Amino acid sequence: MATDNRNIHRKIGRSTTRTKCPAPFLSKTYDLLEEQEEENNNNNNNIKVVSWNGEGNGFVVWCPDEFSEVMLPKYFKHNNFSSFIRQLNTYGFKKVASKRWEFHHEKFQKGCRHLLAEITRKKCEPSVFPTYLNPSKKSTLLLARNNQENTTRQLLMEENQNLKKEKMELQLQIAHFKTLEMKLLQCLSQCVENPHNKTRRLF
Amino acid sequence: MATDNRNIHRKIGRSTTRTKCPAPFLSKTYDLLEEQEEENNNNNNNIKVVSWNGEGNGFVVWCPDEFSEVMLPKYFKHNNFSSFIRQLNTYGFKKVASKRWEFHHEKFQKGCRHLLAEITRKKCEPSVFPTYLNPSKKSTLLLARNNQENTTRQLLMEENQNLKKEKMELQLQIAHFKTLEMKLLQCLSQCVENPHNKTRRLF
DNA sequence: GGGAATATTCCC
DNA sequence: GGGAATATTCCC
């Protein structure tokens, strides 16, 4: 196993001064391009394996097979092109051509190593559950949690409904009492004014 | 980079028939011991680097430096003893001696490769939040979620309180009406019976 | 020892 | 492309 003298990046990368230091993957990919660029310049006759693109705002893997077999193991712990692509996607790079392996990232540009520290890993959508729970367990937990929440809400809503119904009934009673009071008062007034009338008919 | 023909374990390991297949780390560690055992038997004069212990219910790394530099890279993508230990801990192995690197696991025994599939990774305590969220973000989310739940409940509870208060007031009104009705009726009856009495005093 | 970030692999 | 499991690293 070749010793990896780029580990220094990683060591600093994990420290609390993270803002100063890009992720190891980014530094290594940048290193790879810079070192390959130098080699490309020295041997104009050779076919390029990987290089910055014309504008210097992205890079192209010209020979994926050679890149994977020869270059990847020099910088990473594997020789799989797909793992390299997976990392590019993780850090938000975009494939910008359909017929060649050209990738862009706003903050990944030739001569701008200082921009690397501004590139962050894409975050997955926040899930409220740890990844090791299988979907069935997740649904069970979801149901449990929802059930608990729903039970409280359900009880409150039921109570609300009942209270509203009771209120309506009470208001209805009051309406009847008001009518009754009115009639009684009417009746009384008639009674007082004409004590000998039959007032019962009001009821 | 040496190709790793043990990846077959991994490929199967990720399939849905996971129960049949141990984690790659376990298979590799078992392979390593079996292959080293054979080498130990062939060269009795050599110092052992790693071997099963006497009972066959654990193993001993006799020479950590040589083990790390020579054997680890043959089976894993690193040469760090501490990473190997980290994996052992992840899978629940216990260090059982203070003066040498001897590790046990109930299901990791000489001649019992079939037990490996029963060894599982230790799970961290279920956190409701993804690990990438820092504590401050976690509290914010917690508060947000709680706020949302609390808002609903709070509103329902407030509505409930108001409804109960209104109900009480309505009942009070009804009580007054009942008193009033009673007095009016009393009054009326007096009025009818003794039309010339002063009935107003009842009010 | 183990939590957590990053890397690598596998799979959809 | 990206979710998720496992591996490797870093740090407490």
Side-chain angles (χ1 to χ4, degrees):
Chain A
M1 161 163 294
T3 56
D4 185 358
N5 61 9
R6 287 168 198 82
N7 266 352
I8 185 65
H9 288 301
R10 172 156 242 153
K11 287 200 176 75
I12 299 170
R14 298 291 169 77
S15 78
T16 49
T17 59
R18 179 55 203 266
T19 45
K20 300 271 189 58
C21 195
F25 171 75
L26 300 169
S27 299
K28 290 179 181 181
T29 304
Y30 193 93
D31 287 345
L32 178 158
L33 279 161
E34 292 293 283
E35 288 163 25
Q36 195 62 16
E37 195 76 1
E38 193 158 348
E39 217 166 288
N40 289 339
N41 291 340
N42 293 343
N43 312 298
N44 281 326
N45 49 333
N46 275 3
I47 296 166
K48 282 193 275 193
V49 174
V50 60
S51 70
W52 291 102
N53 67 2
E55 297 82 16
N57 66 350
F59 68 95
V60 185
V61 180
W62 301 100
C63 310
D65 286 347
E66 191 171 347
F67 178 77
S68 305
E69 284 301 320
V70 179
M71 303 204 61
L72 285 182
K74 283 188 192 166
Y75 294 84
F76 305 102
K77 290 175 181 290
H78 66 86
N79 57 2
N80 304 310
F81 195 56
S82 57
S83 293
F84 180 70
I85 304 296
R86 185 75 195 80
Q87 284 282 69
L88 290 176
N89 287 324
T90 297
Y91 284 97
F93 284 75
K94 295 295 173 197
K95 190 169 183 292
V96 292
S98 61
K99 300 203 170 175
R100 57 181 188 182
W101 298 98
E102 177 164 356
F103 295 92
H104 283 197
H105 188 296
E106 196 193 351
K107 301 288 175 60
F108 193 87
Q109 309 217 359
K110 188 176 179 180
C112 304
R113 186 187 281 276
H114 62 281
L115 287 179
L116 299 184
E118 298 179 32
I119 302 176
T120 54
R121 289 166 75 87
K122 275 200 278 184
K123 308 303 186 187
C124 55
E125 277 307 291
S127 157
V128 287
F129 295 110
T131 56
Y132 69 82
L133 289 174
N134 62 35
S136 123
K137 282 193 184 153
K138 285 187 188 178
S139 353
T140 308
L141 269 186
L142 250 182
L143 284 173
R145 187 181 177 108
N146 275 352
N147 277 348
Q148 197 187 358
E149 283 168 17
N150 285 346
T151 302
T152 312
R153 204 177 323 131
Q154 204 72 39
L155 285 173
L156 280 168
M157 282 167 74
E158 267 175 42
E159 197 180 3
N160 260 14
Q161 283 302 313
N162 287 335
L163 286 168
K164 282 178 188 169
K165 204 171 145 194
E166 288 169 4
K167 201 181 128 184
M168 287 255 287
E169 283 163 4
L170 291 171
Q171 284 174 325
L172 202 60
Q173 277 191 52
I174 287 174
H176 287 149
F177 272 116
K178 279 185 178 166
T179 313
L180 180 61
E181 184 196 6
M182 205 184 60
K183 289 179 179 173
L184 278 173
L185 286 174
Q186 221 177 324
C187 195
L188 250 185
S189 72
Q190 282 185 15
C191 200
V192 169
E193 284 163 22
N194 314 297
H196 299 292
N197 281 0
K198 295 272 178 253
T199 56
R200 290 262 153 70
R201 63 183 158 81
L202 280 168
F203 299 93
Chain B
M1 163 161 296
T3 56
D4 186 357
N5 61 9
R6 286 168 198 82
N7 267 351
I8 186 64
H9 288 301
R10 173 158 243 153
K11 289 201 177 74
I12 300 169
R14 299 290 170 79
S15 79
T16 50
T17 60
R18 179 52 202 265
T19 44
K20 300 269 188 56
C21 194
F25 171 76
L26 300 168
S27 299
K28 290 179 181 182
T29 305
Y30 194 91
D31 288 343
L32 179 158
L33 279 161
E34 292 293 281
E35 289 163 25
Q36 195 61 18
E37 196 75 3
E38 192 158 348
E39 216 167 290
N40 289 338
N41 291 340
N42 292 344
N43 312 298
N44 281 324
N45 49 334
N46 273 3
I47 295 166
K48 283 193 274 193
V49 175
V50 61
S51 70
W52 292 103
N53 67 3
E55 297 83 15
N57 66 350
F59 68 94
V60 186
V61 179
W62 301 100
C63 309
D65 285 346
E66 192 171 348
F67 178 78
S68 305
E69 285 301 320
V70 178
M71 304 205 62
L72 285 183
K74 283 187 192 167
Y75 295 84
F76 305 100
K77 288 175 180 293
H78 65 86
N79 57 3
N80 304 309
F81 195 56
S82 58
S83 293
F84 180 70
I85 304 296
R86 185 73 196 83
Q87 284 283 70
L88 290 175
N89 286 323
T90 296
Y91 284 95
F93 285 74
K94 294 294 173 197
K95 190 170 183 290
V96 292
S98 61
K99 298 201 173 179
R100 57 181 187 180
W101 297 97
E102 178 166 355
F103 296 92
H104 283 199
H105 189 294
E106 197 191 352
K107 302 286 174 60
F108 194 88
Q109 309 217 359
K110 187 176 179 178
C112 303
R113 186 187 280 277
H114 62 282
L115 287 179
L116 299 185
E118 297 179 33
I119 302 176
T120 54
R121 289 167 73 87
K122 276 200 278 185
K123 308 302 188 189
C124 55
E125 275 308 290
S127 157
V128 286
F129 294 110
T131 55
Y132 69 82
L133 290 173
N134 61 37
S136 123
K137 282 192 184 153
K138 287 185 188 178
S139 350
T140 307
L141 267 187
L142 249 181
L143 286 174
R145 186 179 176 108
N146 275 351
N147 276 348
Q148 198 187 357
E149 285 167 17
N150 285 346
T151 302
T152 312
R153 201 176 326 128
Q154 203 71 39
L155 285 174
L156 280 168
M157 283 168 74
E158 266 175 41
E159 197 180 3
N160 261 14
Q161 283 302 313
N162 286 335
L163 285 168
K164 282 179 187 167
K165 203 171 146 196
E166 286 168 6
K167 202 180 127 184
M168 286 256 288
E169 283 163 4
L170 291 171
Q171 285 173 325
L172 201 61
Q173 276 191 54
I174 287 173
H176 286 150
F177 273 115
K178 281 186 177 163
T179 313
L180 180 59
E181 184 196 5
M182 203 185 62
K183 289 180 177 171
L184 279 173
L185 287 173
Q186 219 176 327
C187 194
L188 249 184
S189 72
Q190 282 185 14
C191 200
V192 170
E193 285 162 23
N194 312 297
H196 301 291
N197 279 2
K198 295 276 177 249
T199 54
R200 291 262 155 69
R201 62 184 159 77
L202 281 169
F203 298 93

